[in-house]
Amino acid sequence: MSILHSFYSWGQVFVVLLSTVFFTLFGTQNWKIMALLWALVPFFNIFYFSQVPIAALPGAESGFSIKDLFKNRLFWVFFLLMACAGASEQAMAQWASAFAEAGLQVSKTIGDLAGPCAFAIAMGITRALYGKFSEKMPLSRFMTISGVLCVISYLLASLSPNPVLALVGCSLCGFSVGIMWPGTLSLASKRIPFGGTAMFAFLALAGDLGCATGPALVGNISDAFQSNLKVGLLFAICFPVLLLLGLFLLRAFRRKEAGK
């Protein structure tokens, strides 16, 4: 799961690099043309996906109904984890370029490379490394360490007076959030084995809600403080903190179940 999700990160790096080259050659005023060119990717995916065989999930036929799923308290913990994973990732990723430009006083070209591109590379490295060494590190423990590291990265990015160190915090955030999304899906499949397709659909929805909420919170808070992006990022620390709370609840439920 982790290695599979690493290709999302490599795709993000690819998009940032090619978009940066386009803007350098043709200027940002032609962004609509670039958007049309990138629209070719999902267009061709229509035909690629039509040829992909879809395997049935084991036990999907006997999976929980939506009503039963909503009654399962573990599901709501995983829903929280997915929302926080998406928010922790995108709250930094979506503002990384503007953060680099404002902090280092550099051009958009350098800002894109130092911000979102570095973030995506760090995230992809984490996913690839965990995929290779996952047997040596329990997933729940690795996610907890990642959550703590994410808190530190947000603090470094928002409170450091040195713009270079603040940018290091941005890249460190990419390294810390890499396991959160695929890790939550893997834990959910183990703890709720009969969740079925509906569970993964709602967890994906939770992740997308987080992806929308995180950047929106940073933007709105920053606007309220005279476009101070560091203040917005400081408020976004609530997402990795809530993720750590969710992991704590998972451990508490497991200990309670083991004591029965």
Short mmCIF file of all heavy atoms in Angstrom, two decimals, residues 129-165:
data_model
loop_
_atom_site.label_atom_id
_atom_site.label_comp_id
_atom_site.label_asym_id
_atom_site.label_seq_id
_atom_site.Cartn_x
_atom_site.Cartn_y
_atom_site.Cartn_z
N LEU A 129 10.40 3.99 1.43
CA LEU A 129 11.22 3.38 2.48
C LEU A 129 10.38 2.50 3.39
O LEU A 129 10.81 1.38 3.75
CB LEU A 129 11.91 4.47 3.30
CG LEU A 129 13.09 5.19 2.64
CD1 LEU A 129 13.62 6.28 3.54
CD2 LEU A 129 14.19 4.20 2.29
N TYR A 130 9.18 2.98 3.77
CA TYR A 130 8.37 2.15 4.66
C TYR A 130 7.90 0.89 3.93
O TYR A 130 7.81 -0.18 4.54
CB TYR A 130 7.16 2.92 5.20
CG TYR A 130 6.42 2.09 6.23
CD1 TYR A 130 6.92 1.98 7.54
CD2 TYR A 130 5.29 1.36 5.89
CE1 TYR A 130 6.29 1.17 8.48
CE2 TYR A 130 4.65 0.56 6.82
CZ TYR A 130 5.16 0.47 8.12
OH TYR A 130 4.54 -0.35 9.04
N GLY A 131 7.60 1.04 2.66
CA GLY A 131 7.20 -0.14 1.90
C GLY A 131 8.29 -1.21 1.88
O GLY A 131 8.00 -2.40 1.88
N LYS A 132 9.54 -0.77 1.89
CA LYS A 132 10.66 -1.72 1.84
C LYS A 132 10.97 -2.31 3.22
O LYS A 132 11.33 -3.49 3.34
CB LYS A 132 11.91 -1.02 1.28
CG LYS A 132 13.12 -1.93 1.15
CD LYS A 132 14.25 -1.22 0.47
CE LYS A 132 15.49 -2.11 0.33
NZ LYS A 132 15.22 -3.34 -0.44
N PHE A 133 10.83 -1.49 4.28
CA PHE A 133 11.23 -1.93 5.62
C PHE A 133 10.05 -2.08 6.58
O PHE A 133 10.23 -2.04 7.79
CB PHE A 133 12.24 -0.93 6.22
CG PHE A 133 13.49 -0.78 5.40
CD1 PHE A 133 13.70 0.36 4.65
CD2 PHE A 133 14.44 -1.78 5.37
CE1 PHE A 133 14.85 0.51 3.89
CE2 PHE A 133 15.61 -1.64 4.62
CZ PHE A 133 15.80 -0.49 3.87
N SER A 134 8.86 -2.25 6.05
CA SER A 134 7.65 -2.27 6.89
C SER A 134 7.65 -3.41 7.91
O SER A 134 7.06 -3.28 8.98
CB SER A 134 6.40 -2.37 6.01
OG SER A 134 6.46 -3.52 5.18
N GLU A 135 8.32 -4.51 7.58
CA GLU A 135 8.32 -5.66 8.50
C GLU A 135 9.11 -5.38 9.77
O GLU A 135 8.94 -6.06 10.78
CB GLU A 135 8.90 -6.89 7.78
CG GLU A 135 8.04 -7.38 6.61
CD GLU A 135 8.64 -8.60 5.95
OE1 GLU A 135 9.75 -9.01 6.36
OE2 GLU A 135 8.00 -9.14 5.03
N LYS A 136 9.97 -4.37 9.74
CA LYS A 136 10.82 -4.07 10.90
C LYS A 136 10.22 -3.01 11.81
O LYS A 136 10.76 -2.75 12.89
CB LYS A 136 12.20 -3.61 10.42
CG LYS A 136 12.95 -4.66 9.61
CD LYS A 136 14.31 -4.15 9.16
CE LYS A 136 15.06 -5.20 8.35
NZ LYS A 136 16.40 -4.73 7.91
N MET A 137 9.12 -2.38 11.39
CA MET A 137 8.54 -1.31 12.19
C MET A 137 7.02 -1.43 12.19
O MET A 137 6.39 -1.34 11.14
CB MET A 137 8.93 0.05 11.62
CG MET A 137 8.23 1.24 12.28
SD MET A 137 8.70 1.51 14.00
CE MET A 137 10.30 2.29 13.76
N PRO A 138 6.39 -1.67 13.35
CA PRO A 138 4.93 -1.75 13.41
C PRO A 138 4.30 -0.47 12.86
O PRO A 138 4.76 0.64 13.15
CB PRO A 138 4.65 -1.91 14.90
CG PRO A 138 5.92 -2.49 15.47
CD PRO A 138 7.02 -1.89 14.66
N LEU A 139 3.25 -0.63 12.07
CA LEU A 139 2.65 0.50 11.38
C LEU A 139 2.13 1.55 12.34
O LEU A 139 2.34 2.75 12.15
CB LEU A 139 1.52 0.01 10.47
CG LEU A 139 0.75 1.08 9.68
CD1 LEU A 139 1.70 1.92 8.84
CD2 LEU A 139 -0.30 0.42 8.80
N SER A 140 1.44 1.12 13.40
CA SER A 140 0.87 2.08 14.35
C SER A 140 1.96 2.92 15.01
O SER A 140 1.81 4.14 15.18
CB SER A 140 0.06 1.33 15.41
OG SER A 140 -0.51 2.23 16.33
N ARG A 141 3.08 2.28 15.36
CA ARG A 141 4.18 3.02 15.99
C ARG A 141 4.80 4.00 15.00
O ARG A 141 5.14 5.13 15.36
CB ARG A 141 5.24 2.04 16.49
CG ARG A 141 6.39 2.70 17.23
CD ARG A 141 7.45 1.68 17.63
NE ARG A 141 6.88 0.62 18.45
CZ ARG A 141 7.56 -0.47 18.81
NH1 ARG A 141 8.82 -0.62 18.41
NH2 ARG A 141 6.98 -1.39 19.56
N PHE A 142 4.97 3.56 13.76
CA PHE A 142 5.56 4.43 12.74
C PHE A 142 4.66 5.64 12.48
O PHE A 142 5.15 6.77 12.30
CB PHE A 142 5.76 3.65 11.45
CG PHE A 142 6.60 4.38 10.43
CD1 PHE A 142 7.98 4.35 10.50
CD2 PHE A 142 6.00 5.10 9.41
CE1 PHE A 142 8.77 5.03 9.56
CE2 PHE A 142 6.77 5.77 8.48
CZ PHE A 142 8.16 5.74 8.56
N MET A 143 3.35 5.43 12.48
CA MET A 143 2.42 6.55 12.28
C MET A 143 2.47 7.52 13.45
O MET A 143 2.34 8.73 13.27
CB MET A 143 1.00 6.02 12.07
CG MET A 143 0.79 5.36 10.71
SD MET A 143 -0.93 4.84 10.44
CE MET A 143 -1.78 6.42 10.42
N THR A 144 2.64 6.98 14.66
CA THR A 144 2.75 7.86 15.83
C THR A 144 4.00 8.72 15.75
O THR A 144 3.95 9.94 16.00
CB THR A 144 2.77 7.02 17.12
OG1 THR A 144 1.57 6.25 17.21
CG2 THR A 144 2.88 7.92 18.35
N ILE A 145 5.11 8.11 15.38
CA ILE A 145 6.35 8.86 15.20
C ILE A 145 6.18 9.91 14.12
O ILE A 145 6.63 11.06 14.25
CB ILE A 145 7.51 7.90 14.86
CG1 ILE A 145 7.80 6.97 16.04
CG2 ILE A 145 8.77 8.68 14.48
CD1 ILE A 145 8.81 5.88 15.72
N SER A 146 5.50 9.53 13.04
CA SER A 146 5.26 10.47 11.94
C SER A 146 4.38 11.63 12.39
O SER A 146 4.60 12.78 11.99
CB SER A 146 4.59 9.74 10.76
OG SER A 146 5.45 8.77 10.21
N GLY A 147 3.39 11.33 13.24
CA GLY A 147 2.52 12.39 13.75
C GLY A 147 3.29 13.39 14.60
O GLY A 147 3.10 14.61 14.47
N VAL A 148 4.16 12.88 15.46
CA VAL A 148 4.99 13.76 16.30
C VAL A 148 5.92 14.60 15.42
O VAL A 148 6.08 15.81 15.62
CB VAL A 148 5.81 12.94 17.31
CG1 VAL A 148 6.79 13.84 18.06
CG2 VAL A 148 4.87 12.24 18.29
N LEU A 149 6.52 13.95 14.41
CA LEU A 149 7.40 14.66 13.49
C LEU A 149 6.65 15.73 12.71
O LEU A 149 7.19 16.81 12.43
CB LEU A 149 8.05 13.66 12.53
CG LEU A 149 9.13 14.19 11.60
CD1 LEU A 149 10.31 14.74 12.39
CD2 LEU A 149 9.60 13.09 10.64
N CYS A 150 5.39 15.44 12.39
CA CYS A 150 4.57 16.41 11.66
C CYS A 150 4.31 17.64 12.52
O CYS A 150 4.36 18.78 12.03
CB CYS A 150 3.25 15.76 11.25
SG CYS A 150 2.25 16.76 10.12
N VAL A 151 4.02 17.43 13.80
CA VAL A 151 3.84 18.56 14.73
C VAL A 151 5.10 19.42 14.77
O VAL A 151 5.04 20.65 14.69
CB VAL A 151 3.48 18.05 16.14
CG1 VAL A 151 3.51 19.20 17.14
CG2 VAL A 151 2.10 17.40 16.13
N ILE A 152 6.25 18.75 14.88
CA ILE A 152 7.53 19.47 14.92
C ILE A 152 7.75 20.26 13.63
O ILE A 152 8.21 21.41 13.65
CB ILE A 152 8.68 18.48 15.15
CG1 ILE A 152 8.56 17.85 16.54
CG2 ILE A 152 10.04 19.17 14.99
CD1 ILE A 152 9.56 16.73 16.79
N SER A 153 7.42 19.65 12.49
CA SER A 153 7.64 20.32 11.21
C SER A 153 6.77 21.56 11.07
O SER A 153 7.22 22.60 10.55
CB SER A 153 7.38 19.35 10.05
OG SER A 153 6.00 19.01 9.96
N TYR A 154 5.51 21.49 11.54
CA TYR A 154 4.63 22.66 11.48
C TYR A 154 5.13 23.76 12.42
O TYR A 154 5.07 24.94 12.09
CB TYR A 154 3.19 22.27 11.83
CG TYR A 154 2.37 21.89 10.62
CD1 TYR A 154 2.18 20.56 10.26
CD2 TYR A 154 1.78 22.88 9.83
CE1 TYR A 154 1.44 20.21 9.14
CE2 TYR A 154 1.02 22.54 8.72
CZ TYR A 154 0.86 21.20 8.37
OH TYR A 154 0.13 20.87 7.26
N LEU A 155 5.62 23.36 13.59
CA LEU A 155 6.18 24.35 14.52
C LEU A 155 7.42 25.01 13.93
O LEU A 155 7.60 26.23 14.04
CB LEU A 155 6.53 23.67 15.84
CG LEU A 155 5.36 23.25 16.74
CD1 LEU A 155 5.87 22.47 17.95
CD2 LEU A 155 4.56 24.46 17.19
N LEU A 156 8.27 24.22 13.29
CA LEU A 156 9.48 24.75 12.68
C LEU A 156 9.15 25.70 11.53
O LEU A 156 9.74 26.78 11.41
CB LEU A 156 10.35 23.60 12.17
CG LEU A 156 11.73 23.96 11.60
CD1 LEU A 156 12.58 24.64 12.67
CD2 LEU A 156 12.44 22.71 11.08
N ALA A 157 8.16 25.32 10.71
CA ALA A 157 7.79 26.16 9.57
C ALA A 157 7.14 27.46 10.00
O ALA A 157 7.36 28.51 9.39
CB ALA A 157 6.85 25.39 8.65
N SER A 158 6.35 27.42 11.06
CA SER A 158 5.57 28.60 11.45
C SER A 158 6.27 29.50 12.46
O SER A 158 6.00 30.71 12.50
CB SER A 158 4.22 28.17 12.04
OG SER A 158 4.40 27.32 13.16
N LEU A 159 7.20 28.95 13.27
CA LEU A 159 7.80 29.74 14.34
C LEU A 159 9.27 30.10 14.11
O LEU A 159 9.79 30.98 14.79
CB LEU A 159 7.67 28.99 15.67
CG LEU A 159 6.24 28.71 16.17
CD1 LEU A 159 6.28 27.97 17.50
CD2 LEU A 159 5.44 30.00 16.29
N SER A 160 9.93 29.42 13.19
CA SER A 160 11.34 29.69 12.97
C SER A 160 11.55 31.07 12.36
O SER A 160 10.92 31.41 11.35
CB SER A 160 11.96 28.63 12.05
OG SER A 160 13.30 28.96 11.76
N PRO A 161 12.44 31.89 12.93
CA PRO A 161 12.72 33.21 12.38
C PRO A 161 13.59 33.14 11.13
O PRO A 161 13.67 34.11 10.36
CB PRO A 161 13.46 33.92 13.52
CG PRO A 161 14.12 32.82 14.28
CD PRO A 161 13.17 31.65 14.19
N ASN A 162 14.24 32.00 10.93
CA ASN A 162 15.11 31.81 9.77
C ASN A 162 14.30 31.21 8.62
O ASN A 162 13.76 30.11 8.75
CB ASN A 162 16.27 30.88 10.14
CG ASN A 162 17.31 30.78 9.05
OD1 ASN A 162 16.98 30.55 7.90
ND2 ASN A 162 18.57 30.96 9.41
N PRO A 163 14.19 31.89 7.47
CA PRO A 163 13.37 31.38 6.37
C PRO A 163 13.85 30.05 5.81
O PRO A 163 13.04 29.24 5.35
CB PRO A 163 13.46 32.49 5.31
CG PRO A 163 14.66 33.28 5.67
CD PRO A 163 14.78 33.20 7.16
N VAL A 164 15.17 29.81 5.86
CA VAL A 164 15.70 28.54 5.36
C VAL A 164 15.26 27.40 6.27
O VAL A 164 14.83 26.33 5.81
CB VAL A 164 17.24 28.59 5.26
CG1 VAL A 164 17.78 27.22 4.84
CG2 VAL A 164 17.67 29.66 4.27
N LEU A 165 15.34 27.61 7.59
CA LEU A 165 14.88 26.59 8.54
C LEU A 165 13.38 26.36 8.41
O LEU A 165 12.90 25.24 8.54
CB LEU A 165 15.24 27.00 9.97
CG LEU A 165 16.69 26.83 10.39
CD1 LEU A 165 16.87 27.31 11.83
CD2 LEU A 165 17.13 25.38 10.25
#
